[in-house]
Amino acid sequence: MTLAGCALNVGKQPPLILPHQLTGAAQGTVQMRIRSSQSSGERLSQTKSMVLQDPDLPPKPISRHRRNQSQHNIGGAGAAETLVVLKGEYLNKAKISDGGKKLRKNWASTWVVLETDKLLFYKESKQEALTNLKPGCSPDAVDLCGAVVEWTTERSSRKNVVQITTSSGSEFLLQADNYPTICKWHDAIKSTADNLSKGAGGQASGKPGIQRANSTEYLPRHGLPSKTLSLPKPAPDSPCTKEPEHRRSLIFKSSKLTYSMSDSADKNGVKNRLKKFISRRPSMKTLQEKGIIKDRVFGCHLLALCEREGTTVPKFVRQCVEAVEKRGLEADGIYRVSGNLATIQKLRFLVDQEEEFNLDDSQWEDIHVVTGALKLFFRELPEPLFPFPLFELFVEAIKTKAGKQKVQAIKKLVLQLPKPNQDTMRVLFRHLRKILTCSLKNLMSTQGISIVFGPTLMWPELDCGNMAVNMVYQNQIVEFILIESPEIFGLEKM
């Protein structure tokens, strides 16, 4: 065609090239797209495109593109999908998991905005406008790449609930009372998440794919298009999807057996170590001889304590009695008033450690601390000063009406006591009679002393009776012995 002919054809339809005018090779591989001008509603295209045809597939209809639109798309799969963006709307939101850690479910109305790759949560609609103005107003963003979006009825009792599980393990719930509204959001979020997941999978190699013109299919870069063989999915109950029951039971049994064997081995090892430790442990006598373990004074049996000290009256009892008679006979409410408990415990610790102490020291200046320690010593005896086997006999003796018979019955029981009990009881009641000689100044009477020392010196082995009745008898027995102590113990009358 000459230059003059081209000039004459400016603005007119280009001449048609018929198939028989091409060579045989060109006819098989190249097809000229010819636009027909018969449809008046279509705009004539003045461009020609070369389209690669798949010889195994039937020709597809050619879509009508605008003049400035390219028919060869270079990019990933995400470029061919329609991106969905939803403007803000108020939905109910609850975050139930953060990175796999369960959270307490708290529903809150939230302004939700869906962007191309993430979901934004604003506290209110005004915050969206302030986001670009104030840096502190940034919303909570949820990355939808790899997220799973599904309806749920198990996570909440509300209706129309959508669950979003992100790739990081966080879980969110969205809810709206209007079903079309939440359905619209469900479809949009799910579509966005699916498109992002496909795009991430398609570009894993880092090389863009070549898309066939006017289609969403990809041609592999290395050669012919790959063909995928689609197999039918097995039924949920088919043997292909289920692990055999016998195999599962064998795995469970073997794991249980392994665990039980290791557990039993650990237990046997602990038992063996304990046996070796016990067999090598020195005896109590050896530890006492070395001074590692010292016998206590408080809480020690009276017979054992006196035997250890080589006396019939504990040394601590004699020290307390001497200190009170030296500077406390005229103290108001002696034995009735309590001393400082912390100081009493400090004195007890020193006595138990068998350390040297002096009750005349300034730290024991309060005489009520000394009397409180003496009462604590008698209360903590494993067996009281009046032994358990004789408790009921003392109660029966105090019920005797005749005075002389009562004195003889009580005296007979006292003489049946072990020697340490008799001597300690004699020292104590002689001391208490001295307290009564100063009753005008210390305001203590026989009844007051018996109320203090009744439950301290005797109690039943088993609290099977009435506690109030026992306490009455305890007080009566101590008061009677205190009054009749010259006859019972052979003490001097005052």
Side-chain angles (χ1 to χ4, degrees):
M1 184 180 297
T2 62
L3 182 61
C6 292
L8 294 175
N9 290 329
V10 171
K12 297 183 180 180
Q13 182 176 352
L16 299 179
I17 303 176
L18 298 180
H20 67 273
Q21 296 176 350
L22 301 174
T23 62
Q27 291 181 10
T29 57
V30 180
Q31 176 185 359
M32 301 296 297
R33 187 175 66 181
I34 304 173
R35 288 291 184 96
S36 175
S37 59
Q38 295 178 359
S39 354
S40 58
E42 296 183 357
R43 183 176 179 177
L44 294 180
S45 174
Q46 298 184 4
T47 61
K48 302 175 184 180
S49 61
M50 307 295 292
V51 182
L52 297 177
Q53 282 293 110
D54 191 343
D56 297 335
L57 298 176
K60 294 184 179 180
I62 302 174
S63 60
R64 305 303 179 183
H65 291 266
R66 300 179 64 88
R67 181 184 311 178
N68 59 349
Q69 183 178 6
S70 173
Q71 292 179 337
H72 296 277
N73 296 327
I74 305 296
E81 298 290 344
T82 303
L83 298 178
V84 181
V85 178
L86 288 181
K87 297 299 181 180
E89 191 168 2
Y90 278 107
L91 299 176
N92 296 321
K93 185 207 77 169
K95 188 174 183 179
I96 60 175
S97 177
D98 185 8
K101 181 180 179 181
K102 297 297 181 181
L103 302 177
R104 185 177 180 181
K105 180 172 54 181
N106 290 321
W107 289 100
S109 180
T110 308
W111 183 260
V112 185
V113 176
L114 176 62
E115 293 191 350
T116 56
D117 59 345
K118 57 188 174 182
L119 198 62
L120 302 179
F121 296 122
Y122 297 89
K123 293 183 179 179
E124 55 184 8
S125 58
K126 297 179 181 179
Q127 185 183 1
E128 183 181 5
L130 297 175
T131 301
N132 298 327
L133 301 178
K134 296 182 179 180
C137 297
S138 59
D140 297 333
V142 177
D143 187 9
L144 295 178
C145 183
V148 178
V149 184
E150 57 187 355
W151 297 99
T152 181
T153 57
E154 300 176 354
R155 295 303 183 96
S156 175
S157 59
R158 297 190 178 191
K159 61 179 182 179
N160 307 332
V161 179
V162 176
Q163 178 179 346
I164 303 173
T165 305
T166 65
S167 58
S168 61
S170 301
E171 294 178 338
F172 298 85
L173 299 180
L174 294 180
Q175 187 268 343
D177 295 334
N178 188 9
Y179 178 75
T181 301
I182 194 64
C183 189
K184 172 187 67 176
W185 281 91
H186 169 270
D187 296 342
I189 297 173
K190 185 175 180 59
S191 176
T192 302
D194 293 344
N195 291 341
L196 292 173
S197 300
K198 291 178 182 177
Q203 302 301 325
S205 61
K207 298 179 181 180
I210 300 179
Q211 187 176 0
R212 189 187 301 275
N214 304 324
S215 70
T216 60
E217 297 179 1
Y218 280 86
L219 285 177
R221 301 179 64 88
H222 58 273
L224 296 177
S226 59
K227 297 181 180 180
T228 303
L229 180 62
S230 60
L231 298 176
K233 294 183 179 180
D237 298 333
S238 64
C240 297
T241 59
K242 283 189 174 182
E243 190 176 8
E245 293 293 334
H246 68 277
R247 178 175 176 81
R248 273 193 285 178
S249 61
L250 286 176
I251 294 174
F252 175 75
K253 288 179 180 179
S254 62
S255 60
K256 185 176 181 182
L257 181 61
T258 304
Y259 172 76
S260 61
M261 290 176 63
S262 60
D263 189 31
S264 61
D266 293 340
K267 288 182 178 179
N268 292 334
V270 172
K271 288 181 180 179
N272 293 332
R273 287 194 293 271
L274 286 175
K275 287 180 180 179
K276 291 181 180 179
F277 172 75
I278 293 173
S279 62
R280 296 175 182 175
R281 186 181 62 176
S283 62
M284 180 70 69
K285 186 177 180 180
T286 306
L287 295 176
Q288 290 176 353
E289 291 176 354
K290 292 182 178 180
I292 298 175
I293 294 181
K294 297 180 180 180
D295 291 330
R296 297 176 301 171
V297 175
F298 283 76
C300 182
H301 199 283
L302 185 62
L303 296 177
L305 179 60
C306 292
E307 183 181 358
R308 189 174 77 221
E309 294 179 350
T311 60
T312 55
V313 179
K315 293 180 180 179
F316 180 69
V317 174
R318 288 188 180 276
Q319 289 174 320
C320 290
V321 168
E322 292 174 359
V324 173
E325 292 179 357
K326 184 178 180 180
R327 54 188 176 91
L329 289 178
E330 298 181 358
D332 186 12
I334 190 70
Y335 285 110
R336 177 173 52 83
V337 177
S338 300
N340 184 273
L341 183 58
T343 311
I344 293 173
Q345 293 294 339
K346 183 179 180 180
L347 177 58
R348 171 189 176 171
F349 177 78
L350 292 176
V351 173
D352 281 339
Q353 296 298 319
E354 297 182 357
E355 297 183 7
E356 295 293 334
F357 64 93
N358 185 8
L359 291 179
D360 294 332
D361 195 90
S362 59
Q363 59 181 333
W364 321 119
E365 181 181 2
D366 185 5
I367 195 62
H368 298 297
V369 170
V370 179
T371 57
L374 181 60
K375 290 186 293 183
L376 181 63
F377 170 81
F378 285 113
R379 281 198 302 266
E380 292 202 355
L381 287 173
E383 188 174 27
L385 189 61
F386 291 79
F388 291 131
L390 300 180
F391 179 83
E392 294 296 336
L393 297 177
F394 274 103
V395 172
E396 293 298 328
I398 202 65
K399 292 179 182 179
T400 305
K401 295 182 179 180
K404 291 184 178 180
Q405 293 180 359
K406 185 185 296 185
V407 172
Q408 294 300 323
I410 296 294
K411 184 177 181 180
K412 183 179 179 180
L413 291 175
V414 170
L415 293 176
Q416 294 179 11
L417 296 174
K419 186 65 174 174
N421 295 65
Q422 285 187 39
D423 293 349
T424 303
M425 196 178 294
R426 181 181 292 107
V427 170
L428 178 62
F429 278 94
R430 183 171 54 201
H431 167 68
L432 294 178
R433 284 184 64 84
K434 288 184 180 181
I435 297 293
L436 292 175
T437 59
C438 302
S439 59
L440 295 178
K441 294 184 178 180
N442 57 36
L443 303 178
M444 291 299 294
S445 61
T446 55
Q447 187 177 5
I449 291 177
S450 64
I451 291 175
V452 172
F453 279 94
T456 302
L457 300 180
M458 63 184 307
W459 58 85
E461 186 175 6
L462 300 175
D463 295 333
C464 55
N466 192 334
M467 184 180 297
V469 175
N470 291 335
M471 187 174 293
V472 171
Y473 289 133
Q474 291 165 355
N475 299 345
Q476 289 179 357
I477 292 169
V478 172
E479 184 179 3
F480 183 81
I481 295 176
L482 185 59
I483 295 173
E484 300 295 337
S485 57
E487 181 68 24
I488 295 174
F489 297 108
L491 303 178
E492 297 180 359
K493 292 185 179 181
M494 312 184 88

